[in-house]
Amino acid sequence: MPGPGPTAGPSDDTSTAPAASVTGPDGPGRGTAAVLGALTALGPLTTDLYLPGLPAIADDLVAQPAAVQLTLTFSLFGVAAGQLIFGPFSDRFGRRPPLLAGLVVYTLASAVCVFAPTLSVLIAGRFVQGAAGAAGLVIGRAVARDRFQGVAMLRFLASITLISGLAPILAPIVGAQLLRVTSWRGTFGVLTALGLLLVLAAFGALRETLPAEARPGGGLVATLRTMGGLLRDVPFLGLMLTSTFGFGALFGYISGSSTVLQHAYHVSPQTYSLLFGANSLALVAMTQLNGRVLARRFTSDALMLAGLGVAAAAGVALVLVTAVWDLGLPGVCPALFVMMGSMGVVLPNSSAQALSLVEPQAAGTASALLGTGNFLCGAVVAPLSSLGGQPSAVLLAVVVLACGVLAVAAYVGLCRPRREPAVAAGG
C-alpha cells in the first residue's frame, strides 16, 4: 500500500501556476487517447442516446415521467457504485483486466434493456449497465494520472474529452433519428452493438499502464485505508465536493432537459436533440480551450474561480427567466448554454487538481472517489425537475443554481488557500 505522497514541487501543483508539461516515459500516444476517448464516451452515450425516447418509454410501459426518469437515476447510481469497484481493482490488478470485464458485462446488460418487458426490469438493467460502463470512465482518469502531470495531464484529458465530447452532441441527435425508424428499444440495441465493438477495440489496442511492481497490496483493508486517508485530506475533499456539485448542476440539466423542453416548452424530439447538441458543443469547446490555451496562460485556481463564478451566475439567470420573468425558451436556452460552457472549465480543472495530489498507484481509488461523488449527486438531482409528476422549468433552474452555489462554497471554503499536497494513501 502506498504511503503518504511526497510534497509536490511547482510542476505538480496545478493551482498556483501554469504547470510544466510532464509526461510519462512513453509520451502522449494518440492511439491511447483515441481508445480511452471512445471508452469514456460510453458513459455519455449510455445516458444521452435514449433521452429523446423518455416520453415514448413512459407511454409504452404505462408509467409516469418521474418514474421513467428513475431509469436515469439508477443508471447514475450504478456508475457511482461501479467506480468504487473498478477504481480500486485497477490499482490492485492493473488497468486492463477490470476494464475488459466491465465492457463484457456492459454489453450483456444493454441486451437486457433491449428486451425489458417492464419498467422495473429496465431500471435494473440500467443499473448494471451504468455500473459496468463505469470501468471506462474511472480507468480513463487513472491512466491519465499514470502517464502525465500538470498541463500535460490537462491536455491529455482534453484530448479524451474532444473524442468523448462528441457523444453528448451526437447522441440525442442520433437517438431522435433512431426513433423515426425504430422504437426506444432500438437505441439500446445500438448500445449493445457499441459495447461489443469496444470489447474488441480495448482488447486489441489498450495496453497496461500500471506495471505490476507499482501496484499496492493489502486487499480490501488497504483500499479502505487509502480512501479514508483521501477523504480526511481537506484539499482533496474540497476538490471532490467542488467536482460533485458541478457535476450535479450538469446532470440536473441533462436529466431534466428532455422532459422540461419537450413537455413544458413543447419542442419536438428532433428540436430537443439540436438544442442539446448546441449546449454540449459549448462544454466541449470550453474543455478544449481550457486544456490547450487557458491552462498555459492562467493558474488553475484562477480558472476554477472564473468557471465557478460563471456557473453560479448562469444559475441565477436561469431562475430569473423561469420564475420571475417567464421568458420561455428564448430566455432558458442562453442560460443553459453558458452554464454548460462553464462546466468545461470547472470539471477538468477540479479533476486535474485532485489527481495531482495523489501518487499514481492510488490514482484508481482517487478517481473512483471523484466519480462516485459526481454520479451520486447526479442520481439525486435527476428526478427533481419532475417532482409532483410534472416537469418544471423552475425546479430545473433551482437545481442548477443550488448545485452551482454549493460548488463555489466547497472550493472557496476548503481549497483556498491551498495547503500541502494530499496524503495519497491512508495512514
Side-chain angles (χ1 to χ4, degrees), residues 61 67 73 84 99 132 178 182 214 217 254 264 348 382 419 421:
L61 299 181
T73 296
L84 287 177
L99 176 62
L178 283 173
T182 185
I254 290 175
R419 291 175 288 281

Side-chain angles (χ1 to χ4, degrees), residues 96-370:
R96 184 177 156 93
L99 176 62
L100 293 173
L103 289 173
V104 170
V105 176
Y106 173 91
T107 303
L108 296 175
S110 299
V112 170
C113 293
V114 173
F115 301 104
T118 65
L119 183 60
S120 297
V121 174
L122 181 60
I123 289 172
R126 289 284 291 169
F127 177 83
V128 177
Q129 192 185 38
L137 185 64
V138 67
I139 293 173
R141 286 194 301 262
V143 169
R145 181 61 185 92
D146 289 343
R147 302 185 63 181
F148 307 103
Q149 297 177 18
V151 169
M153 190 194 304
L154 277 173
R155 292 189 65 187
F156 186 71
L157 291 173
S159 297
I160 293 176
T161 304
L162 178 61
I163 301 169
S164 65
L166 294 175
I169 296 174
L170 298 177
I173 299 174
V174 174
Q177 298 308 313
L178 283 173
L179 292 179
R180 291 179 176 271
V181 297
T182 185
S183 70
W184 58 268
R185 297 180 187 275
T187 63
F188 288 106
V190 171
L191 292 175
T192 303
L194 178 62
L196 182 59
L197 288 174
L198 286 176
V199 170
L200 299 175
F203 183 82
L206 191 65
R207 57 193 178 84
E208 186 59 63
T209 60
L210 185 65
E213 61 272 16
R215 301 170 193 171
L220 179 62
V221 173
T223 296
L224 294 176
R225 191 179 298 121
T226 298
M227 288 184 177
L230 289 168
L231 292 174
R232 287 193 301 270
D233 183 86
V234 174
F236 181 88
L237 178 62
L239 289 164
M240 188 183 79
L241 290 175
T242 302
S243 177
T244 292
F245 292 123
F247 201 81
L250 179 65
F251 255 90
Y253 156 72
I254 290 175
S255 62
S257 62
S258 177
T259 52
V260 167
L261 294 182
Q262 292 186 67
H263 285 192
Y265 295 113
H266 309 294
V267 304
S268 68
Q270 289 71 35
T271 301
Y272 163 72
S273 68
L274 294 175
L275 293 174
F276 193 94
N279 290 335
S280 298
L281 183 61
L283 174 67
V284 174
M286 285 307 301
T287 301
Q288 297 306 302
L289 184 64
N290 172 76
R292 300 180 182 280
V293 179
L294 299 179
R296 294 185 174 277
R297 300 185 179 182
F298 303 97
T299 67
S300 182
D301 185 59
L303 292 174
M304 282 290 294
L305 290 173
L308 288 168
V310 171
V316 171
L318 198 57
V319 170
L320 291 176
V321 300
T322 56
V324 180
W325 298 319
D326 192 18
L327 298 182
L329 206 60
V332 169
C333 288
L336 290 175
F337 184 86
V338 171
M339 186 276 295
M340 287 286 281
S342 70
M343 289 299 110
V345 175
V346 171
L347 295 179
N349 276 286
S350 58
S351 294
Q353 282 193 25
L355 290 174
S356 72
L357 298 178
V358 304
E359 295 175 343
Q361 56 264 46
T365 301
S367 178
L369 289 175
L370 289 170

